Amino acid sequence: MQAVLGIIFHFIGGFASGSFYVPYKKVKGWAWETYWLVGGLFSWLIVPPIAAWFTIPNFVDIIAQTPSSTFWWTYFWGILWGIGGLMYGLGMRYLGMSLGNSVLLGFTAAFGALVPSIYYNFYPQSGKITFNELLTTSWGQVVLLGVTLCLIGIYVCGRAGVLKEKELPDEKKKESVKEFNLVKGLIVCIISGILSACFNYGIEAGSSMADEANQLWKSAHPLETVNFLYRNNVIYIVLLWGGLSTNFIWCVILNARNKTFGDYTNKKAPLTQNYLFAAMAGIIWFLQFFFYGMGESKLGNGASSWILHMAFIILVANMWGILLKEWKGVSNKTGITIASGIFIILLSVLVVGYGNSMQ
């Protein structure tokens, strides 16, 4: 039952992440850096402490008492993840939600799922899953099979993107993705995917804060035998400060370079609508990790949780890509290829979930 709940929570988080960019498409008359920063302020600065305030009453004390090394490592990984998140927006501009998410999150899935377990192989910690454990246990081997299937599915989705590039003329490709550019998009998404995995490293670095929140909750609820559902919310505050630092600085630089500071007060643009949709995008974005934390409390923060989260995001993003007609006009071969990629990713989710239940 715990594994089933974990999968459900990861699906909700994946749906939020795979959907958050949709409201940005409703923003009119603003440069990318303007609406990205407005949405980001809600994602990284405003909503996380509100979520923690509702779920962890003493979160301020936990952060204040955290050793400086833990605090700064969590913040550091947040900075690197912030660079990846910044490039995520560029990837969506160049490749669209379907192909962009498949390529980008494929690298995020692989690096985020496996690197922590490899690290714990060399620096073992109680309760942390090592790569050797994944290799030598039956449940771990099933999880690794699921990870492999996910990567195969992502490769198939990427292949569909290459076929689309060859088949459609520029004007057709840019009907759904106005700035479509396969080469530039692939470079951006590969770098972004690798750096975006740093979010998972940040969760690992700040895990002592979550453990403290978990212990305090268990002390207040001595009859409970499960982990605290919202324990990761305290980590997100520090981790997302790192992401805020990177994105804020870069967006302000772009505002200055492109002379777009006037966007924020430009009465020729639908300001109320723009702020509303940018805020909506930011809030939906944060919900992905709110529910990730809930899923992680049920499944643990190993390869299982991360790969499930990434796979669900890819599935949802591809569904949005189809609804937004990003694949309109492609041949049956290309359509079958992207559908096959989505199916393989879905299969990988089931395999990882089964492997986790075996544990």
Side-chain angles (χ1 to χ4, degrees):
M1 186 61 185
Q2 295 298 312
V4 173
L5 282 174
I7 291 171
I8 291 172
F9 291 142
H10 281 309
F11 172 76
I12 297 173
F15 184 86
S17 181
S19 305
F20 90 94
Y21 207 82
V22 175
Y24 281 139
K25 292 182 176 291
K26 298 291 185 180
V27 175
K28 307 295 181 184
W30 274 6
W32 174 84
E33 59 268 19
T34 303
Y35 64 73
W36 187 256
L37 179 56
V38 172
L41 288 173
F42 281 87
S43 301
W44 312 311
L45 184 64
I46 298 172
V47 178
I50 294 175
W53 183 76
F54 275 111
T55 56
I56 307 175
N58 54 340
F59 74 93
V60 175
D61 294 334
I62 293 175
I63 294 174
Q65 295 167 9
T66 296
S68 59
S69 61
T70 299
F71 180 95
W72 289 111
W73 271 113
T74 305
Y75 178 77
F76 168 76
W77 290 121
I79 288 175
L80 293 186
W81 163 80
I83 298 172
L86 184 66
M87 298 180 77
Y88 173 94
L90 294 175
M92 297 309 100
R93 285 169 64 186
Y94 296 138
L95 294 184
M97 293 184 63
S98 181
L99 179 57
N101 273 289
S102 296
V103 175
L104 189 156
L105 295 174
F107 285 91
T108 303
F111 278 80
L114 299 181
V115 170
S117 62
I118 294 172
Y119 172 83
Y120 289 124
N121 230 62
F122 295 98
Y123 303 97
Q125 291 186 25
S126 176
K128 299 297 184 180
I129 298 171
T130 65
F131 189 67
N132 188 58
E133 189 176 357
L134 291 176
L135 287 173
T136 56
T137 61
S138 57
W139 70 266
Q141 291 165 1
V142 173
V143 168
L144 288 177
L145 173 62
V147 172
T148 304
L149 279 174
C150 183
L151 293 177
I152 292 172
I154 287 151
Y155 167 78
V156 174
C157 289
R159 176 63 182 163
V162 173
L163 292 175
K164 175 184 177 182
E165 167 78 2
K166 292 179 178 178
E167 290 176 0
L168 299 182
D170 286 345
E171 60 270 17
K172 275 289 184 182
K173 286 180 287 195
K174 293 181 180 180
E175 282 181 5
S176 58
V177 185
K178 294 180 180 179
E179 301 176 69
F180 188 87
N181 187 311
L182 184 65
V183 175
K184 189 182 294 185
L186 286 174
I187 293 172
V188 167
C189 284
I190 289 171
I191 297 172
S192 174
I194 293 172
L195 290 177
S196 292
C198 291
F199 197 96
N200 202 31
Y201 311 158
I203 293 175
E204 292 285 351
S207 60
S208 62
M209 289 186 278
D211 291 341
E212 179 66 18
N214 195 43
Q215 290 303 317
L216 290 172
W217 180 80
K218 284 190 171 183
S219 297
H221 303 82
L223 298 180
E224 292 289 348
T225 58
V226 296
N227 286 321
F228 182 32
L229 201 58
Y230 307 109
R231 60 184 184 177
N232 275 8
N233 285 353
V234 67
I235 302 176
Y236 297 152
I237 295 175
V238 179
L239 186 53
L240 293 175
W241 280 341
L244 171 65
S245 301
T246 307
N247 283 264
F248 183 85
I249 292 170
W250 181 242
C251 286
V252 169
I253 289 173
L254 288 181
N255 278 146
R257 179 188 298 172
N258 300 330
K259 300 180 180 179
T260 52
F261 278 117
D263 284 354
Y264 301 105
T265 56
N266 183 9
K267 294 183 179 179
K268 294 181 179 179
L271 289 178
T272 301
Q273 173 183 310
N274 285 359
Y275 278 107
L276 178 63
F277 280 114
M280 186 185 302
I283 293 169
I284 294 173
W285 183 93
F286 175 76
L287 289 177
Q288 68 164 310
F289 287 116
F290 182 83
F291 284 100
Y292 175 86
M294 295 169 68
E296 183 268 346
S297 73
K298 299 299 182 184
L299 298 180
N301 193 38
S304 301
S305 279
W306 191 250
I307 199 70
L308 281 173
H309 184 69
M310 293 297 115
F312 279 134
I313 296 173
I314 293 165
L315 284 170
V316 172
N318 274 289
M319 295 305 178
W320 276 114
I322 292 170
L323 289 173
L324 294 171
K325 300 180 179 179
E326 292 180 358
W327 299 94
K328 181 181 178 181
V330 299
S331 67
N332 289 336
K333 177 183 178 182
T334 301
I336 292 171
T337 302
I338 187 64
S340 300
I342 295 172
F343 173 77
I344 295 171
I345 293 171
L346 179 59
L347 180 62
S348 78
V349 171
L350 298 176
V351 172
V352 169
Y354 175 69
N356 196 79
S357 67
M358 290 172 62
Q359 183 186 9

